[in-house]
Amino acid sequence: MSEVVYEETATMIAAGELQSFVPFGREHCRNHPNAFNLQLRELQPASELWSSDGAAGLVGSLQEVSLQERERECWQLRKGCMGVKEEDMEFEEELYAAGNVVVWSQGSRTQASSVYKAFTVDSPVQQALWCNFAVPHNKKDEEELEHTVCIVQSSCVNVHTVTGKDFISPLPFQVNVWATKFGLLLERKNTANDAQLTPSLCREPLPTVFSMLHPLDEIAPVVCKPAGLFDGSRVQYVSDFTMKIVFTCCQPSILISYDTVQGTHSVWALRKVTHDERSTVLRCPAEPVGTPLGLMASGFLTSHFCAVGPSSPLHYSALHSHQSRIMTSSPGLHSRVHSPSISNMAALSRAHSPGMAAPSFSGAARFNTSFHSPSSRGHHGLLLSPNSTVNETTLVPEMEPIMPDLCIEQLWSETVTAGCHREMSSQASKVFLTSDLCENHYLCFLVESHQQLRCVKLVESNDTSQLIFPSVTTIPAKDAEPLQNIDAMLVLEACGSLVLYTGITRVSKVFVPGLLSPTFSLTNHLPHLSKPVDNISTPTNAGSRHLQRLDEDVMPSPVSELRGPNIKHHEASFLEDYAFQQATPYIHALRDPVCNRVTLELSSGTMLRISVPEIATSELVYAVVQVLVKWYNIYNAPGGPSAHAEWNLFVTCFMTLMGYNTERLNWTQNLHFEVPLSPVIAAKKARPSDGGSDEVSDCCNNNNISPAVSSVAALGVALSTSLLYLLFVFFPLTSQASSPSSPSLKLDSSAPLFPHIPALFYVLHLLYQELQLDELQRARASSLVCLLQQLARDLQLEDYVDLYWRDYPSLMSGFTESCLIDQGKTHLIAHNCPSFLRAEPPCVLSWLSSCLRGEENQPFPYLPGICQRTRLLVLSYALYILGDENATSSDVSKYLVKLSAGMFVTGLKDRFTSVLLLPGLCGFVCVCFTLKDLESVPFGVALPIREAIYRCREQPCSDWSEEVCLLIGRQDLTRQAHKMTLSVLSGLSLEPPPTTEADEEEDGMSDIIQEVTGLIWSQDLRVQEVRRLLQSSRPVRVSVVQLPEVSDHEYIEEKENKLLQLCQRTMALPVGRGLFTLFSYHPVPTEPLPVPKLNLTGRAPPRNTMVDLNSGNIDVPPNMTSWPSFHNGVAAGLKIAPASKVDSAWIAYNKPKSPELANEYAGFLMALGLNGHLTKLATLNIHDYLTKGHEMTSIGLLLGVSSAKLGTMDMSITRLLSIHIPALLPPTSTELDVPHNVQVAAVIGIGLVYQGTGHRHNAEVLLSEIGRPPGPEMEYCTDRESYSLAAGLALGMVCLGHGSNLIGMTDLNVPEQLYQYMIGGHRRAQAGANRERHKSPSYQIKEGDTINVDVTCPGATLALAMIYLKTNNRSIADWLKPPDTWFLLDFIKPEFLLLRTLARCIIMWDEILPNTEWVKSNIPQIMRGTFDPSEDINMETMAQAQDYITAGACMALGLRFAGSANSDAFDCLYEFARTFMKIMSFAGTAAVTGYYNLQTGLSMILLAMSMVMSGTGNLKVLQLCRFFHKRTGGEMNYGFHMAHHMALGLLFLGGGRYTLSTSNSAIAALLCALYPHFPAHSTDNRYHLQALRHLAVLAAEPRLLVPVDVDSLKPCYALLEVTYKVSAHHTCSFLCILVEQIFFLKGLKVKGPRYWELSVDLSKETQHLKSILSRDGVLYVKLRAGQLPYKDDPQGWKSLLATSVNHCNSGVRAFKPEAISTFTSEPALVSFAEFFCKTSDGMKHDTLVLFSAMLYECVTQECPEMLPTYIAIEQAVGSLRRGDLLQTFPLWQLRLVVELWDSRMLKDPTNAHDTLLTSEFLPVMKNTVDVALDSWLKGEEGRENIKHAEQRFRYLSLLSDTHLAKPFPLRTHSLRNSAVHSTCSRLQDVKYCCLVKPAGFLEILQGVNI
């Protein structure tokens, strides 16, 4: 163990942000309700306190007496990590505990602290800590962290998660709790009882450390694996009471323990236990103390039950009475997947069993000998007390082995020396991890008894699986805390001084303003006090004092440890004599480090919060080197410099360390310092004669210490990043003899960095090249080049000097000085000269240029972590220009050579995204940058990358990531991944158009998205007309003319009768309105759902008087509004979109308080089931609703939950439905009085839940229920038809589409039985459980043993149709043919003919044809021919049969082509509708058939038309619906109105966004909803339950694609190319219903010139399109620049490109920049047009034209990102023309642009249109440069310019390639005018040679005579 020895210097660092600190929780607790008693006791004297306690008196007060006056408080701080925005990362979190209260608060420098969460518990808090638990995620191996606060009480641990879940885990004994990577670690407190029992009474040691990986887990013992190969290495439970945990850490996962006997600390790795270790520890038999503990039942009980006292069972029972209570809203939320190894207790607690209060010996209780008994008087004997209530025999079977979860493996332990026992180390009072600036990590623990901080070095092994601890260093310290942000730690020395260390290297003292530092105040008077005693080197100790190479070969560190004798500083005793020490507060301790802030505890009891300053703020300084400790001392000296002088300070410091005398160099003398110099520079100014030596060499000379050693020791040089790793790994420090004082311009060879100048120079040169590639950093390159040119001169690297002159000719002309290197010392540099230092300077721009010319290049050097931009750009060019697809994988070494120290380096953060390959149009790839980063790349370098992006933009792949799509400018694809719906798009106006006051009343249809419907039907107001027809919230107009003979009373009755007729229509409207507004609304969770009123009043003109049905003048049917209210509730609920966020609380929140609205709420519940939200309703709420006994609510709820669980066979819903169906209950069960309609709903519910499953038992029951006979005492006697129909429909749904493949049902003879139900015959005997139920016949209905066909036929027919749906089974279809004789025809009701025809047609699905011939072919032959007059034919029978068969065939046609908008099918149906209307218009023919029958057939045809044209809003169907809407008198009853308005709703389904599917499930739903027998009045449910009309929603599917402009977020028009699997392409307007279902489509593509192309390939995967359609069909499209949307410019005549058809320039002339915002939304282009393309006073006309042409070019060529490139080229050429170009960087960029153009033209001249610069702009710019260069060479500007000729030649020769020939010699000579003129004629022949032909130009230059 070595001890740090350091040299004291006079430098100090000033701490900042000094402020008083009080924990926020303390202030909050004073105002906390729980703190009231505490306040009383603090404020009142004891006497008052006793009396104030009332009845408790003195006894109550004495119970509260404690040795501590105040309640114990504790707190901890950490860096904020949750709920924080990226731009505000700097904030702290505090966890404060006092008494029973824990306060979690957050605050930052800019924001005051506030309470985040506060907790109050039942008993005093012993510990409060943050902990993260891993929770399994998505049933995969992934785990997500759950952030929690754990509050430890004496008997339990409360765990509160951030998301609001709470857990209570009981504790069987007292523990200390530690947070780890895996969860909680519980260390058992060593009570006196345990200590006595462990050795004597028990054979086996008790485990002392346990783990809890989740609050619901049982605690498990931890096993340990000690170090060693023999005895101690076996796995055993941690059962050593002498081992105390002092520290745990999550990263790395380690644990520090202290041995109380040995007095040593050990480090353990904490990890998951392996399977072998678990098996070993559970298999081992019980042995004496120290052996592994076998936790088996029998042995354990006998050995450990001995310690139970009489009171134990009671306390144990009390303890476990609150086992795992969980306060959470969702009981099933915390269930975790657990392995079989988890014990019964864990399983029970996770199942939340209510019986957990019983005491059990499962879990950690078996490790508890005292059973947590608070009574110290309990008798602990060997035998059980006689009155013990614990029964041993009952407890034995419960014992199971506890599976351990975690294992600790010993990594390192302190060595015990011989003399160590005399002064044994005490337990570490503080442990923390810290790191130094070289990424060395240390584990530090503070031993207060020795006042030492022991720093154990921490190194990862090569495979990173193991930690190695190579060395221990001791630092004298009274206290210490780490400072993570600056890789340092703050140490409080025994004398009271604060000292900053980085790792184990002492940096400097820290000066705290306002506090007197004893050491600093005395140094002036006692200069020798701070020196070590043994600071004079003698021959005997010189070797030990020299800096040696580190012994640890594992991880060499540039910061060397000083291994000298153990010298301790005992300054405290000296200082204690001073009186001021007592008067002035001094620093007593440190605590709460967060980032670079720490709290100082003063002796006065107050606390101060200080921050230690950051190392540097300049990016350039960070880029060169992140820290130099010497630099750190200078910069942070008290009263240090401001930020803008930072670079000058750095250069001075850095050059001094390399041996320069910065006072003698002219350019460093001129560096401007605004503030007093640092002590180092001030000392040099005071001793000018020292000739470059400072206190470093002074110290070296005085002490005869090696200069390298002493300088490193005194200055504490710690270099980091790649630069410094290079330095110290390649070139280890060596001892050198000191040199005498050097001349003024010589380098001091004794400087610590002198031998490494070449390596440092080369690294800085590479950094300079990196800065050249960043426009934001390039200005700083000019600062760096001054330093580089000096180093290059002194190293005599002419080529490098030449390169810097070419880059900055104006700047370099002022530098002429060179510093001489002592010839005797050149071997030092030569010896250390790195092998990678090239004679030819690496120039990244030259490398890229030769790459564009297609020349071979050497790999370019780069520093990992530093030259990241260089690396990415070089690889980009290799990928794109050279076309090497392996450039980023296997061929990296061909283009890059990596310079590193062979170890991992964390340098500058990578500003780019990961390297991604973009497969482009031509099969090439480019490297992915973010757009923001690409903007900072110089325009010439970036042009090839922009070109690659431009090519990829046209046809992107659908599987590219979001980042790539954003990069190539396809925001439409990026947005598509965000899964937005139309209703939640930001910026999309969803408000309806302005309405009048009369319209303001809620009609329930205001949520239809106007932008979408306005685009679908833009030519008329059909949507407004539909809203008018379907609104039911306003009074109707009652127009009745009062005839003269009619009295007023009769007139009022007439008006009310007319109103009653109109109300029949009004009550039927909600069914249609629900379909119209389907899924159009996203509710607000804090507001109830708006339900429009069902207004049944009227207004009579002309006075607009109110007409009401409640006046009593006419008889109104009772309960007339019950079902209409239900439908109104359904319509309101169906508005809610499936994607909305609806929860159980919101559903219950909508429950109305008035009983009148209960029917509406029942409908609302059913609607929630239809749109899938009822699954979120809690089971408790469902039970609550059903127990109310409200019939409507039960119907809505049963149908709703069944629809939500469609086809799932959910058992809980099955049980719910079975209660309401007597046939599904056991025969002996109690008869329940279930209303008939509820039974019907439950039967349909069974069909929905078991749809398509072919469930045998349900099918059998439903089959028998179709023919259920009436029972005695009016059982099953009323409305039997609806129940039989429901059973038939349910049976059809259960066996939907199975046909003859009904597995396991052959014995049921399902089709034969259904056929019998259809045609009649003798009833079959009931089988099975229902035999007893139907034994007694009905007393009222005498049916005998025959089947009542009128009851059973409809259900059986439809059941047969659904079972054989689309099977084309002709034998079954023939059963359903209408009779072909008049005799048989008389026996069938005409309505049944409709059902038979419909059933037969949908069985023969593929034979349905959309023409009239097919429809007529269903009519029997006997009706189609001529009739013999002699035959007795009943014309009424024939007409009715013919009309009903036609209606049935039309209905089948509608189902076959539902949602297809098939024109043939529509024309056919429309023709039949007109035929029926003609028949109805003639009284004679109408009388034969009957008005009711004709209206029924017409309604069915109208519904069939609506199904075919569903969602299209067809005008012809709308006209028919409006025609029937107006007809209210005569036979037009409630049911017909319902049919007509359902047709209207289907026609505009979902506001035009939805249509009908033709899947089996959809056909079944439509058969239930459109059953062709509509109710005669509003309370009629005899033949069909009205609630089933809403099941049509289950057949709806979204099929509208809505293109949304990604920039404006508005729906728009676009063109869509649809490719079918069978037929050819089909192009249609984009906003339309897709004409076929998805499985018919092969592909979709957005086409046309106005929008970017977008392809959706459906040949392999349709999921993408389905997800788009499910989100309102939002498909983002991006408008091309220069184009207008179709809505604004239908013909394309206003387009920006329309004016440039004939000639390019005409477009420029016609282009008006002020109209730019009409054509593009790019903010950069709009702003450019605003400020640079409008005529103004300061703008020249030529410039205006040029800028307008640039803008036009960018808009027309679809490359707005090129505008900065155009401007940059123009600026570079302008500067060249004016002759004020100060650097050649813009010429380099021009050269790259020209070379890219040339490479394109040379390869293929037809490639011109593929390049970004395709106009005449570039040739014009080239010509301008030609003219400027020619004028220079000809000397047209006069003799005064000849003195600048050399500089101009540098411009010209800059672009010549130094790799081709020797560069032009650049010295301080002047060019003769004659020489210039003599070359002019030759230069004329080489037009633009410097940019196009650098080699040829170089030859000419070499011919110039100088």
Side-chain angles (χ1 to χ4, degrees), residues 183-431:
L184 285 181
L185 211 60
L186 288 77
E187 181 189 25
R188 177 183 183 142
K189 287 186 180 176
N190 189 5
T191 61
N193 297 335
D194 293 341
Q196 295 166 10
L197 284 166
T198 302
S200 56
L201 295 179
C202 302
R203 296 196 310 270
E204 300 170 0
L206 299 176
T208 57
V209 181
F210 301 87
S211 64
M212 184 165 71
L213 306 193
H214 189 271
L216 292 178
D217 283 346
E218 186 179 348
I219 65 172
V222 175
V223 298
C224 68
K225 191 175 182 182
L229 299 173
F230 305 106
D231 284 355
S233 61
R234 61 176 175 267
V235 183
Q236 59 189 25
Y237 286 104
V238 182
S239 55
D240 188 359
F241 270 105
T242 64
M243 188 184 101
K244 296 294 175 192
I245 300 175
V246 294
F247 175 73
T248 57
C249 177
C250 294
Q251 193 61 37
S253 179
I254 57 173
L255 173 149
I256 317 298
S257 69
Y258 174 72
D259 191 317
T260 54
V261 176
Q262 298 287 336
T264 58
H265 294 86
S266 300
V267 182
W268 307 74
L270 181 66
R271 56 173 172 77
K272 290 282 184 76
V273 69
T274 64
H275 181 70
D276 293 341
E277 290 167 349
R278 183 182 284 135
S279 305
T280 303
V281 80
L282 293 176
R283 193 169 54 242
C284 284
E287 294 179 19
V289 177
T291 61
L293 179 64
L295 296 179
M296 305 312 288
S298 56
F300 187 83
L301 196 67
T302 54
S303 60
H304 288 299
F305 209 62
C306 54
V308 181
S311 60
S312 298
L314 171 65
H315 291 289
Y316 180 73
S317 176
L319 170 68
H320 282 270
S321 64
H322 35 193
Q323 285 263 9
S324 296
R325 289 174 294 162
I326 299 186
M327 288 75 75
T328 176
S329 59
S330 175
L333 199 58
H334 304 301
S335 303
R336 298 176 60 218
V337 181
H338 52 277
S339 65
S341 63
I342 296 179
S343 69
N344 295 337
M345 178 178 175
L348 282 171
S349 67
R350 289 183 179 189
H352 319 310
S353 168
M356 284 310 296
S360 72
F361 278 85
S362 176
R366 60 185 92 166
F367 305 121
N368 186 15
T369 52
S370 60
F371 290 95
H372 188 54
S373 171
S375 169
S376 60
R377 297 170 296 176
H379 173 67
H380 298 284
L382 286 172
L383 299 173
L384 279 172
S385 176
N387 58 355
S388 172
T389 58
V390 178
N391 186 342
E392 184 174 341
T393 57
T394 61
L395 291 172
V396 171
E398 292 189 32
M399 303 306 292
E400 291 180 3
I402 296 286
M403 301 293 178
D405 294 320
L406 299 181
C407 172
I408 58 172
E409 184 173 355
Q410 191 168 12
L411 301 177
W412 173 86
S413 185
E414 282 186 295
T415 54
V416 184
T417 55
C420 198
H421 292 285
R422 289 198 299 275
E423 47 173 320
M424 188 175 69
S425 296
S426 64
Q427 179 177 324
S429 58
K430 188 177 292 185
V431 185

Side-chain angles (χ1 to χ4, degrees), residues 955 1613-1619 1625-1628 1630 1644-1655 1677 1680 1686:
Q955 289 187 342
Y1613 288 116
L1615 289 178
L1616 176 69
E1617 182 183 84
V1618 185
T1619 310
H1625 293 267
H1626 170 74
T1627 306
C1628 61
F1630 197 29
L1644 300 171
K1645 183 183 285 187
V1646 179
K1647 295 286 286 184
R1650 303 200 188 186
Y1651 290 92
W1652 287 98
E1653 281 195 9
L1654 176 67
S1655 298
V1677 292
R1680 290 179 180 268
Y1686 285 101

Side-chain angles (χ1 to χ4, degrees), residues 1219-1427:
I1219 295 171
H1220 300 86
I1221 303 173
L1224 286 175
L1225 294 174
T1228 57
S1229 62
T1230 308
E1231 289 190 12
L1232 302 174
D1233 186 18
V1234 182
H1236 175 79
N1237 286 339
V1238 177
Q1239 289 187 37
V1240 173
V1243 167
I1244 292 289
I1246 288 290
L1248 290 168
V1249 174
Y1250 285 86
Q1251 187 182 88
T1253 61
H1255 192 272
R1256 152 91 195 203
H1257 174 65
N1258 285 328
E1260 182 181 2
V1261 170
L1262 292 170
L1263 184 63
S1264 65
E1265 289 299 288
I1266 294 174
R1268 181 177 71 172
E1273 299 179 9
M1274 294 303 291
E1275 284 180 12
Y1276 318 133
C1277 291
T1278 56
D1279 296 349
R1280 293 172 58 203
E1281 293 86 349
S1282 63
Y1283 187 86
S1284 178
L1285 174 67
L1289 290 171
L1291 174 63
M1293 283 191 275
V1294 171
C1295 305
L1296 184 64
H1298 280 243
S1300 301
N1301 302 321
L1302 291 170
I1303 308 299
M1305 295 192 205
T1306 49
D1307 60 317
L1308 295 179
N1309 297 319
V1310 175
E1312 290 83 359
Q1313 181 67 53
L1314 291 174
Y1315 183 64
Q1316 188 184 21
Y1317 282 145
M1318 199 170 66
I1319 62 167
H1322 287 281
R1323 192 186 306 278
R1324 294 184 183 181
Q1326 290 288 338
N1330 292 314
R1331 187 185 308 166
E1332 294 295 322
R1333 196 187 295 275
H1334 302 304
K1335 192 164 62 174
S1336 301
S1338 169
Y1339 304 146
Q1340 307 290 330
I1341 301 173
K1342 301 296 183 183
E1343 287 182 347
D1345 61 348
T1346 57
I1347 294 171
N1348 188 340
V1349 180
D1350 291 340
V1351 174
T1352 60
C1353 181
T1357 306
L1358 290 180
L1360 211 53
M1362 290 161 75
I1363 293 172
Y1364 289 91
L1365 177 66
K1366 299 181 186 177
T1367 59
N1368 300 298
N1369 188 320
R1370 191 166 297 279
S1371 59
I1372 299 293
D1374 289 343
W1375 287 358
L1376 298 165
K1377 270 188 176 180
D1380 52 3
T1381 63
W1382 294 113
F1383 177 77
L1384 292 175
L1385 208 60
D1386 280 338
F1387 285 94
I1388 300 178
K1389 290 172 69 174
E1391 294 172 11
F1392 293 173
L1393 286 173
L1394 188 156
L1395 290 175
R1396 284 195 186 188
T1397 306
L1398 171 62
R1400 179 177 176 275
C1401 292
I1402 63 176
I1403 289 174
M1404 305 301 294
W1405 183 264
D1406 296 336
E1407 292 185 1
I1408 301 176
L1409 299 174
N1411 53 51
T1412 52
E1413 289 76 16
W1414 177 83
V1415 174
K1416 290 177 179 177
S1417 69
N1418 289 280
I1419 300 173
Q1421 190 66 38
I1422 57 169
M1423 297 185 196
R1424 282 185 278 176
T1426 54
F1427 309 113

Side-chain angles (χ1 to χ4, degrees), residues 1886-1904:
V1886 197
K1887 203 68 172 171
Y1888 205 56
C1889 54
C1890 64
L1891 290 175
V1892 182
K1893 298 176 182 177
F1897 183 64
L1898 185 62
E1899 295 165 3
I1900 296 171
L1901 286 174
Q1902 288 174 331
V1904 177

Side-chain angles (χ1 to χ4, degrees), residues 356-544:
M356 284 310 296
S360 72
F361 278 85
S362 176
R366 60 185 92 166
F367 305 121
N368 186 15
T369 52
S370 60
F371 290 95
H372 188 54
S373 171
S375 169
S376 60
R377 297 170 296 176
H379 173 67
H380 298 284
L382 286 172
L383 299 173
L384 279 172
S385 176
N387 58 355
S388 172
T389 58
V390 178
N391 186 342
E392 184 174 341
T393 57
T394 61
L395 291 172
V396 171
E398 292 189 32
M399 303 306 292
E400 291 180 3
I402 296 286
M403 301 293 178
D405 294 320
L406 299 181
C407 172
I408 58 172
E409 184 173 355
Q410 191 168 12
L411 301 177
W412 173 86
S413 185
E414 282 186 295
T415 54
V416 184
T417 55
C420 198
H421 292 285
R422 289 198 299 275
E423 47 173 320
M424 188 175 69
S425 296
S426 64
Q427 179 177 324
S429 58
K430 188 177 292 185
V431 185
F432 57 84
L433 286 166
T434 186
S435 57
D436 65 14
L437 295 161
C438 300
E439 304 292 327
N440 293 319
H441 301 283
Y442 296 91
L443 176 68
C444 305
F445 51 95
L446 183 71
V447 183
E448 285 188 343
S449 62
H450 290 51
Q451 291 207 339
Q452 284 179 348
L453 183 69
R454 296 177 185 167
C455 304
V456 186
K457 194 170 181 181
L458 196 67
V459 181
E460 276 191 352
S461 61
N462 290 333
D463 59 355
T464 68
S465 61
Q466 195 175 356
L467 294 174
I468 302 167
F469 301 86
S471 62
V472 184
T473 309
T474 301
I475 297 175
K478 184 179 174 184
D479 205 346
E481 287 292 359
L483 303 171
Q484 287 182 348
N485 268 22
I486 57 174
D487 290 326
M489 63 179 171
L490 203 58
V491 172
L492 177 64
E493 297 187 330
C495 59
S497 302
L498 279 181
V499 182
L500 195 69
Y501 281 78
T502 174
I504 54 173
T505 305
R506 182 187 174 99
V507 177
S508 173
K509 291 190 177 180
V510 178
F511 172 69
V512 182
L515 282 183
L516 187 61
S517 173
T519 310
F520 191 68
S521 61
L522 291 174
T523 337
N524 300 328
H525 307 288
L526 304 165
H528 299 288
L529 181 66
S530 61
K531 289 188 177 181
V533 179
D534 186 17
N535 64 352
I536 298 174
S537 180
T538 64
T540 55
N541 64 14
S544 66

Side-chain angles (χ1 to χ4, degrees), residues 600-865:
L600 312 179
E601 288 190 21
L602 303 185
S603 55
S604 59
T606 59
M607 286 180 283
L608 295 176
R609 192 91 173 141
I610 65 164
S611 65
V612 180
E614 297 281 348
I615 290 162
T617 54
S618 165
E619 290 187 20
L620 182 57
V621 176
Y622 263 121
V624 178
V625 52
Q626 289 191 344
V627 62
L628 289 167
V629 177
K630 178 68 180 175
W631 153 252
Y632 189 41
N633 283 333
I634 295 171
Y635 182 69
N636 291 308
S642 58
H644 74 274
E646 191 173 343
W647 171 249
N648 296 340
L649 273 175
F650 176 76
V651 169
T652 308
C653 174
F654 193 60
M655 294 187 72
T656 304
L657 289 169
M658 288 192 290
Y660 283 90
N661 182 0
T662 54
E663 297 301 311
R664 302 298 176 87
L665 274 173
N666 287 334
W667 70 276
T668 53
Q669 275 182 339
N670 296 331
L671 292 177
H672 178 59
F673 295 102
E674 266 191 353
V675 293
L677 293 177
S678 67
V680 176
I681 301 167
K684 293 188 295 186
K685 280 198 169 239
R687 302 191 297 270
S689 61
D690 286 353
S693 65
D694 56 2
E695 80 267 34
V696 180
S697 54
D698 188 36
C699 179
C700 297
N701 295 331
N702 288 341
N703 299 306
N704 296 321
I705 301 175
S706 159
V709 175
S710 59
S711 58
V712 174
L715 298 174
V717 177
L719 308 176
S720 73
T721 67
S722 303
L723 162 70
L724 302 167
Y725 276 118
L726 277 172
L727 173 63
F728 281 97
V729 172
F730 288 125
F731 319 110
L733 293 174
T734 53
S735 286
Q736 302 294 339
S738 61
S739 64
S741 297
S742 307
S744 58
L745 288 179
K746 274 192 175 183
L747 268 68
D748 180 10
S749 59
S750 65
L753 298 184
F754 173 78
H756 312 297
I757 290 176
L760 295 173
F761 163 74
Y762 193 72
V763 168
L764 289 176
H765 175 80
L766 293 181
L767 174 62
Y768 168 70
Q769 294 300 317
E770 173 79 5
L771 295 179
Q772 294 273 53
L773 298 176
D774 192 343
E775 288 284 7
L776 301 177
Q777 301 283 352
R778 194 165 52 77
R780 297 182 174 92
S782 60
S783 304
L784 184 58
V785 81
C786 301
L787 175 61
L788 286 171
Q789 66 84 26
Q790 185 67 56
L791 296 175
R793 283 176 185 277
D794 299 338
L795 292 171
Q796 299 178 2
L797 299 170
E798 295 295 333
D799 290 349
Y800 286 85
V801 178
D802 176 62
L803 177 68
Y804 303 142
W805 273 82
R806 288 172 188 267
D807 287 351
Y808 291 94
S810 303
L811 183 64
M812 291 295 102
S813 59
F815 295 95
T816 57
E817 289 182 300
S818 296
C819 295
L820 301 177
I821 297 175
D822 191 352
Q823 291 300 315
K825 303 296 180 184
T826 52
H827 69 280
L828 280 179
I829 289 182
H831 177 69
N832 287 313
C833 187
S835 58
F836 49 74
L837 179 57
R838 297 180 185 175
E840 295 174 356
C843 175
V844 68
L845 296 177
S846 177
W847 195 97
L848 298 176
S849 171
S850 59
C851 186
L852 287 171
R853 295 197 303 272
E855 298 171 0
E856 285 292 328
N857 271 325
Q858 288 187 350
F860 195 83
Y862 84 102
L863 288 166

Side-chain angles (χ1 to χ4, degrees), residues 906-1194:
T906 55
L908 291 180
K909 288 183 180 176
D910 184 1
R911 289 200 179 95
F912 297 90
T913 59
S914 59
V915 177
L916 296 173
L917 298 181
L918 301 178
L921 187 64
C922 306
F924 51 76
V925 290
C926 73
V927 177
C928 179
F929 296 85
T930 64
L931 284 175
K932 187 177 179 183
D933 295 325
L934 201 54
E935 288 170 7
S936 64
V937 176
F939 68 88
V941 177
L943 192 59
I945 298 171
R946 291 195 185 279
E947 188 179 282
I949 289 172
Y950 181 72
R951 292 190 178 196
C952 294
R953 184 182 302 160
E954 193 66 42
Q955 289 187 342
C957 291
S958 57
D959 57 347
W960 282 355
S961 68
E962 186 178 332
E963 292 80 8
V964 175
C965 296
L966 196 61
L967 172 71
I968 64 174
R970 293 299 299 268
Q971 291 86 352
D972 49 339
L973 298 174
T974 309
R975 271 299 187 102
Q976 201 65 49
H978 287 169
K979 300 185 179 178
M980 290 285 205
T981 57
L982 270 177
S983 307
V984 295
L985 282 178
S986 58
L988 192 59
S989 169
L990 301 181
E991 298 300 320
T995 53
T996 58
E997 265 188 47
D999 292 334
E1000 282 180 4
E1001 192 164 8
E1002 173 64 42
D1003 64 357
M1005 293 174 280
S1006 59
D1007 300 296
I1008 294 292
I1009 301 170
Q1010 304 294 321
E1011 284 88 347
V1012 178
T1013 55
L1015 287 175
I1016 303 175
W1017 303 292
S1018 57
Q1019 306 298 319
D1020 49 43
L1021 301 175
R1022 67 184 79 185
V1023 176
Q1024 282 74 10
E1025 179 68 6
V1026 173
R1027 285 185 66 173
R1028 185 187 69 80
L1029 295 176
L1030 291 177
Q1031 68 82 25
S1032 60
S1033 59
R1034 291 192 290 276
V1036 294
R1037 181 185 175 88
V1038 183
S1039 298
V1040 178
V1041 180
Q1042 184 175 8
L1043 298 174
E1045 66 271 13
V1046 175
S1047 67
D1048 287 348
H1049 182 74
E1050 290 173 338
Y1051 178 59
I1052 291 172
E1053 283 188 5
E1054 273 189 32
K1055 286 195 293 186
E1056 291 186 4
N1057 281 317
K1058 176 70 172 175
L1059 176 62
L1060 186 59
Q1061 288 179 346
L1062 291 171
C1063 284
Q1064 298 298 315
R1065 182 184 72 190
T1066 304
M1067 291 185 296
L1069 294 178
V1071 184
R1073 191 178 70 241
L1075 296 170
F1076 174 55
T1077 60
L1078 184 68
F1079 304 156
S1080 60
Y1081 176 66
H1082 290 264
V1084 182
T1086 55
E1087 298 176 6
L1089 180 75
V1091 181
K1093 288 189 296 184
L1094 194 64
N1095 195 326
L1096 297 182
T1097 60
R1099 297 279 182 180
R1103 296 183 182 178
N1104 212 24
T1105 54
M1106 174 77 73
V1107 183
D1108 197 350
L1109 294 177
N1110 298 325
S1111 61
N1113 295 316
I1114 61 170
D1115 292 330
V1116 178
N1119 299 324
M1120 183 180 73
T1121 59
S1122 296
W1123 277 102
S1125 294
F1126 178 88
H1127 299 317
N1128 197 38
V1130 176
L1134 286 177
K1135 288 197 303 181
I1136 301 172
S1140 305
K1141 293 182 179 177
V1142 171
D1143 57 11
S1144 182
W1146 186 79
I1147 298 173
Y1149 169 61
N1150 276 278
K1151 187 176 181 180
K1153 294 180 180 176
S1154 68
E1156 292 84 18
L1157 298 175
N1159 293 335
E1160 273 186 4
Y1161 188 66
F1164 168 70
L1165 291 175
M1166 179 178 175
L1168 287 176
L1170 291 171
N1171 53 30
H1173 290 303
L1174 207 58
T1175 54
K1176 300 163 190 171
L1177 186 63
T1179 311
L1180 197 63
N1181 294 88
I1182 294 176
H1183 177 265
D1184 185 39
Y1185 292 143
L1186 291 176
T1187 51
K1188 293 288 190 296
H1190 188 263
E1191 181 179 337
M1192 292 285 197
T1193 304
S1194 299

